[in-house]
Amino acid sequence: MFNFKPDRSQYPAIGEDGKLEIDLETGKFLKLWQGPNHPGITGNMSVELTVCGDEVVEGKTHVGYLHRGFEKLMERRTFIQVFPIVCRVCVPEPDFNEYCYAAAVEDLAGIEVPEYANWMRTLILEMGRFNSYMMFLGGIGGALGLGIGGQWMTYVRDLMLDRFEELTGARIYHMFILPGGVRGHLPEGFEGRMEEVLSTAERYLADMDRVMFSNSVFKTRTKGVGYIDPALFEPYGVTGPNARAGGVAKDVRKDSPYLVYDQLDFEVATATGSDIWARANVRREDVQTSIDLIRQILKKMPKTGPAMAKIPNVLHWKIPRGETYIKGECSRGEYGYYLVTDGTGYPRRINVRGPSYTHAMALLEHLIPGTNISDVAALMVSLHTYPPEIER
């Protein structure tokens, strides 16, 4: 068997400040840029790579290419005017921002959401989770040269966007979840059309199992690559599928149930490899979980009932002084909104806790040294991050 032992004598030394001593003038090192790429997984962000041969010795994340400053924009708008902004904090899965913000407002305003609206919100969130995972599966395939996987998953995602458009009137930014409930009821015949989408999705996912997950090249390029030591989960704020791929069953839907998740039957997918392969497999199982949950919701949810609670005139709405933190489980892990009010018609402070901030910044920069150039894209995609959460 061919064995290759790299010459580590050319690697940079570590200075007294703990940073690498990289002298580009020696010719031993080269600067390359990964990104910024758009759209989708990894999005508008880039990584400044320092390489020695084809191996990365240092990586620095650069953001700022995107619309930013969401939190400050929210603080200068009335509570209802915030909604066109919160969607933009995560484009592939915008509904989670709607839910977290609406639930925070309801908590401080003392609003009780009708049962029907809670079922509808859960449905919307699982539809959004499904779409986010479609983007991930297509992205991880594309990052390793499987272009057909990206085409398949984009097609299936587009079918779910048809259902979003039918239900909310929009394909991307839905603004369907509002303080007090949701904007409407299920259209007639929606359940049947949704089942067609889910059945189609399962057929294409079976193809992905054969073409990607059973592919020896995909296995070789992902197993043992991008390993995250479970000891790093707490100090680096690793959550969601990235933690569950390392054997830690973190899922807010189970740990702190919200909406109607305590009335649904599902298990949290875990793995032990904590590498790119494990993270991809956990998300593949999560897709099937979302499909099962959507079917359960449509079967169990009430057929009638109020979709909105009674709320004050939103143009003159003043919420009592207070503060709250609302969290849930998005496709990338724990997602939360911290809202502070001062009794006026505007939020005093809004802070968005998105998992992409820690996963794409500190964690990625920790994992990237020692990675081959050809594996950088797969490593970035495997962490499943969305830059708008970073630049919020």
Side-chain angles (χ1 to χ4, degrees), residues 119 122-127 129-130 133 194-195 198 202 251 253-254 258 260-268 285-301 329:
W119 282 94
T122 310
L123 173 64
I124 289 287
L125 294 186
E126 288 305 317
M127 290 168 61
R129 190 189 316 276
F130 173 91
Y133 281 142
M194 175 60 79
E195 180 55 38
L198 300 180
E202 288 178 324
D251 193 310
R253 294 175 297 177
K254 284 289 190 180
Y258 55 98
V260 298
Y261 282 109
D262 58 348
Q263 302 180 52
L264 299 173
D265 181 23
F266 67 101
E267 297 296 328
V268 175
E285 291 185 47
D286 277 357
V287 172
Q288 188 60 54
T289 298
S290 286
I291 291 174
D292 295 341
L293 286 175
I294 290 172
R295 285 174 171 149
Q296 285 187 54
I297 293 166
L298 291 175
K299 183 178 180 180
K300 293 183 177 182
M301 70 181 296
E329 184 76 14

Side-chain angles (χ1 to χ4, degrees), residues 311-327:
I311 61 175
N313 185 330
V314 295
L315 299 179
H316 307 284
W317 196 0
K318 294 183 179 180
I319 293 178
R321 180 190 299 269
E323 60 182 308
T324 188
Y325 177 72
I326 298 295
K327 65 180 180 179

Side-chain angles (χ1 to χ4, degrees), residues 70 74 85-91 93-101 129 239-240 252 258 325-338 351-357 386 388-390 392:
F70 294 114
M74 295 179 200
I85 299 177
V86 297
C87 308
R88 272 79 180 173
V89 179
C90 178
V91 180
E93 195 178 9
D95 311 279
F96 223 91
N97 290 276
E98 295 179 16
Y99 162 70
C100 286
Y101 174 72
R129 190 189 316 276
T239 183
V252 182
Y258 55 98
Y325 177 72
I326 298 295
K327 65 180 180 179
E329 184 76 14
C330 72
S331 63
R332 280 106 45 234
E334 181 180 329
Y335 204 99
Y337 266 59
Y338 174 61
N351 178 250
V352 182
R353 194 281 180 201
S356 295
Y357 189 90
Y386 296 139
E389 292 174 21
I390 304 170
R392 77 270 192 273

Side-chain angles (χ1 to χ4, degrees), residues 150-383:
Q151 296 178 35
W152 285 343
M153 297 299 96
T154 299
Y155 169 68
V156 174
R157 184 174 183 272
D158 208 49
L159 296 179
M160 186 62 79
L161 291 180
D162 289 342
R163 302 287 71 78
F164 267 114
E165 185 176 18
E166 178 185 7
L167 180 59
T168 71
R171 298 182 71 81
I172 305 299
Y173 300 129
H174 310 121
M175 289 177 277
F176 190 74
I177 300 174
L178 301 173
V182 294
R183 284 199 288 115
H185 293 72
L186 288 179
E188 185 176 350
F190 182 86
E191 296 90 337
R193 291 185 289 276
M194 175 60 79
E195 180 55 38
E196 292 178 7
V197 173
L198 300 180
S199 298
T200 302
E202 288 178 324
R203 291 198 299 272
Y204 276 95
L205 287 168
D207 288 339
M208 286 292 284
D209 291 339
R210 288 189 289 269
V211 173
M212 188 171 77
F213 287 99
S214 297
N215 189 309
S216 61
V217 175
F218 182 78
K219 293 178 182 179
T220 301
R221 294 195 60 186
T222 56
K223 287 187 175 182
V225 180
Y227 174 75
I228 307 175
D229 188 341
L232 298 178
F233 290 172
E234 289 300 326
Y236 278 82
V238 180
T239 183
N242 290 336
R244 289 192 274 117
V248 179
K250 288 186 176 182
D251 193 310
V252 182
R253 294 175 297 177
K254 284 289 190 180
D255 301 336
S256 303
Y258 55 98
L259 294 176
V260 298
Y261 282 109
D262 58 348
Q263 302 180 52
L264 299 173
D265 181 23
F266 67 101
E267 297 296 328
V268 175
T270 60
T272 57
S274 202
D275 52 12
I276 296 177
W277 169 258
R279 293 194 284 276
N281 276 272
V282 163
R283 290 183 172 96
R284 170 61 182 91
E285 291 185 47
D286 277 357
V287 172
Q288 188 60 54
T289 298
S290 286
I291 291 174
D292 295 341
L293 286 175
I294 290 172
R295 285 174 171 149
Q296 285 187 54
I297 293 166
L298 291 175
K299 183 178 180 180
K300 293 183 177 182
M301 70 181 296
K303 303 304 178 184
T304 59
M308 281 288 292
K310 186 176 181 180
I311 61 175
N313 185 330
V314 295
L315 299 179
H316 307 284
W317 196 0
K318 294 183 179 180
I319 293 178
R321 180 190 299 269
E323 60 182 308
T324 188
Y325 177 72
I326 298 295
K327 65 180 180 179
E329 184 76 14
C330 72
S331 63
R332 280 106 45 234
E334 181 180 329
Y335 204 99
Y337 266 59
Y338 174 61
L339 173 62
V340 181
T341 53
D342 56 9
T344 67
Y346 298 82
R348 177 67 182 87
R349 181 74 178 96
I350 295 180
N351 178 250
V352 182
R353 194 281 180 201
S356 295
Y357 189 90
T358 52
H359 292 170
M361 301 288 287
L363 181 61
L364 177 61
E365 292 184 0
H366 177 83
L367 296 177
I368 215 166
T371 303
N372 190 282
I373 297 174
S374 62
D375 294 328
V376 171
L379 174 60
M380 293 174 67
V381 174
S382 77
L383 299 178

Side-chain angles (χ1 to χ4, degrees), residues 41 132-144 146-154 208 212 381:
I41 303 298
S132 182
Y133 281 142
M134 288 298 101
M135 187 171 285
F136 169 84
L137 291 175
I140 194 66
L144 294 171
L146 185 67
I148 189 64
Q151 296 178 35
W152 285 343
M153 297 299 96
T154 299
M208 286 292 284
M212 188 171 77
V381 174

Side-chain angles (χ1 to χ4, degrees), residues 39-57:
I41 303 298
T42 71
N44 278 347
M45 62 174 281
S46 63
V47 182
E48 180 185 358
L49 302 175
T50 303
V51 299
C52 178
D54 63 353
E55 191 168 341
V56 180
V57 297

Side-chain angles (χ1 to χ4, degrees), residues 52-70:
C52 178
D54 63 353
E55 191 168 341
V56 180
V57 297
E58 184 183 46
K60 294 182 179 179
T61 305
H62 291 265
V63 295
Y65 302 96
L66 202 58
H67 41 297
R68 51 194 185 273
F70 294 114

